Amino acid sequence: RRFAGPYEEVAEALKEDDLHVAKIDITKNKGVYPVRSIPTIVYFPGVENSEEVKFELKRDKDTLVKWAKEQKDISIEVKVDL
């Protein structure tokens, strides 16, 4: 809940980069993704046979936005190389 405000700001900041932010209520969606701590932040590249990337940095808007954009750039490079 502490991250709710920054989370909404991150979602808004990433819209223009065509990056989608989703919230999953683990109490209602058990088994969707293994969760060890809350919030668990993961980037799913959307590239076939690629693995998700867990966010393990400082949990603030600027750090998360920068990280997400970097992950998107990596995904694009992977897509081009296929």
Side-chain angles (χ1 to χ4, degrees), residues 13-77:
L14 292 174
K15 275 184 182 179
E16 64 188 47
D17 291 284
D18 200 28
L19 287 164
H20 306 281
V21 177
K23 292 189 267 188
I24 298 174
D25 183 341
I26 62 165
T27 63
K28 296 178 182 174
N29 298 284
K30 292 181 181 177
V32 173
Y33 186 82
V35 174
R36 293 186 184 199
S37 64
I38 300 173
T40 295
I41 302 169
V42 182
Y43 178 81
F44 294 94
V47 177
E48 193 172 330
N49 298 321
S50 61
E51 292 190 25
E52 68 273 0
V53 181
K54 291 182 183 178
F55 178 77
E56 297 177 344
L57 302 171
K58 183 178 176 187
R59 294 176 182 235
D60 63 59
K61 176 190 169 194
D62 293 337
T63 303
L64 184 50
V65 168
K66 180 180 176 193
W67 175 82
K69 288 180 180 184
E70 289 170 354
Q71 299 312 308
K72 180 181 178 186
D73 289 344
I74 291 168
S75 295
I76 291 169
E77 289 174 21

